[in-house]
Amino acid sequence: MSTVTAQNIGGGNRAEAWTGEPISVGSDKPFYIALGILGGVYIVLILGMLAADIIKAMTESESVWQTLGQEEIHYSIKLSLLSCTVTTILSLWVAIPIGYLMSRHDFPGKHFIDALLDIPIVLPPLVIGLSLLILFNLPLGVEKARLMGTDGREIIEYWKLDDLIPTAYTKGAVVLSQFMVACAFAVRTMRVTFDQINPRREQVALTLGCTRAQAFWHVVLPEARRGVLTAATLAWARSMGEFGPILIFAGATRMKTEVLPTTVFLEMSTGNLAAALAVSLLMVFASVVVLVLMRIWGRSNGLTGPRIA
Amino acid sequence: MIAVENLSVAAGAFRLDGVSFEIPAGRYGVLMGKTGCGKTTILETICGLKPAAGGTIRLMGDDVTGAKPAERNIGFVPQDGALFMTMSVRENVGFALQVRGWKRDRIAARVEELAELLAVTHLLDRMPTGLSGGEQQRVALGRALACHPGILCLDEPLSALDDDTRKTMIGLLKDVQRKTGVTALHITHNRVEAEQLADTFIRIEDGKLAVLPAPRTNGNAKGNG
């Protein structure tokens, strides 16, 4: 009986199945040691970075505390928290519909739009800032005024987007710069979230008398709660660290468009390492708090969506 | 009654034409065929979840070929139950009534009534997570029957159940159909299940549809005939 089974499993004839030499199987230890070393280097680096920040801050605690007391820093903290929150809300408003449409419906040009949505993720952030600046200053072709140049020639001034919606070098520019990048991450997250929710449930809801909107509101969205939280976390964390596009499109004006990364940049450029460190630690603290909160909220059962951690 | 005439259904590259059959009111129809033969697509088209590529669908006398799923008065029980995971069993069963704006006490009474019929009263305050396969199907059945549909569509509702649970569920389905007088269309690839339930027996083979006389092992299912 056992011979028959062995033959079936091996798929070969009887002689082949039983003439194999016994092999000595080596230890699995080297494999796991190698994995441990390769992964461990990265883990140690993360911990080392954080530890170094904290040690340095402790040795220079006086100037760190002094920095945190400054009015400019308070402004920067407030603007950062506010702009990140606004960006996160805006990102969700856009990412949930796009993610749902992309997950559930086929339409002409879908592949093109899918690729387009990844552009903010792969573009260098500086380029996004520059592109925004150019977009808002592009002449729209409608004449605004005719001026006489110093050489006597007439100069035609055209309306541009920034005249209609004054944005460049304002707080609006801070939010828009953050939004352009953060939203792309939120869209990806929501798309994956809706992909993971079985469309059968909303179909059942439709047969039970729901309109599409009711099925979405009562059935799909509650099940996507964890995905929404993850998208919000990603968008918030991403905007908290955004710097390149803000520098170009919103500028780095103290008490106006200064957010925490801008502060680090400004303090470093004047050689004030302790102040840059103080602000950096603030951002580390904020990120850890957000990460922990999201992990706690996301742990409830019955929620679908990728975990951030 | 479910009357399908010369229906064409399509899903991706798959297409099935000339689907015609009729299940008289209050009878139990079983649609059988191999995996991938288009059974589920036919059911989805009848439910209005997929547009018909041709032909007509009449439910209880009305032409519903182009109607929205919500307008067809159908109870749909999918394969895995597809319960709403963020709602309790009670909310699941009462969902259709809530959508219709029923008063709270009227919903509660109807949910209790169904829970008793399906023997799930003890589960009403549980969440769907952690229910057994049989329990999930009972809840899905209750949810589908809540607002007195004329038609009940079941997509392989028993395929994921163990033999004992399946036997109990077959008994329950017959009982429920007799008590409610609903016209049922049940999809399966299990012959025993089909023989025990069917009044009308439809088979898809090689892209062709055959309506066969009901296997006569099914003695008592014509209660409302």
Side-chain angles (χ1 to χ4, degrees), chain A residues 200-201 204 206 208 218 223, chain B residues 44 70 83-85 100:
Chain A
R200 266 288 184 257
R201 303 213 183 99
V204 169
L206 291 180
L208 290 173
H218 294 302
E223 291 194 18
Chain B
E44 284 173 336
L83 297 180
F84 305 142
M85 303 308 282
R100 281 165 177 72

Side-chain angles (χ1 to χ4, degrees), chain A residues 216-256:
Chain A
F216 178 77
W217 195 250
H218 294 302
V219 176
V220 185
L221 201 53
E223 291 194 18
R225 210 161 27 167
R226 193 165 77 198
V228 174
L229 275 177
T230 306
T233 316
L234 271 179
W236 200 87
R238 188 66 225 202
S239 3
M240 181 54 94
E242 206 55 76
F243 173 60
I246 297 180
L247 183 68
I248 293 190
F249 188 44
T253 317
R254 292 228 115 151
M255 303 297 285
K256 193 174 172 213

Side-chain angles (χ1 to χ4, degrees), chain A residues 198 200-201 203-210 214 218-219 222-223 225 302, chain B residues 40 44 70 74 76 78 80 83-87 95-96 99-100 143 155:
Chain A
N198 185 356
R200 266 288 184 257
R201 303 213 183 99
Q203 291 176 343
V204 169
L206 291 180
T207 65
L208 290 173
C210 283
Q214 284 173 318
H218 294 302
V219 176
E223 291 194 18
R225 210 161 27 167
Chain B
T40 299
E44 284 173 336
I74 282 182
F76 176 39
D80 54 356
L83 297 180
F84 305 142
M85 303 308 282
T86 55
M87 300 178 202
F95 184 77
V99 169
R100 281 165 177 72
R143 180 180 63 181
D155 184 7

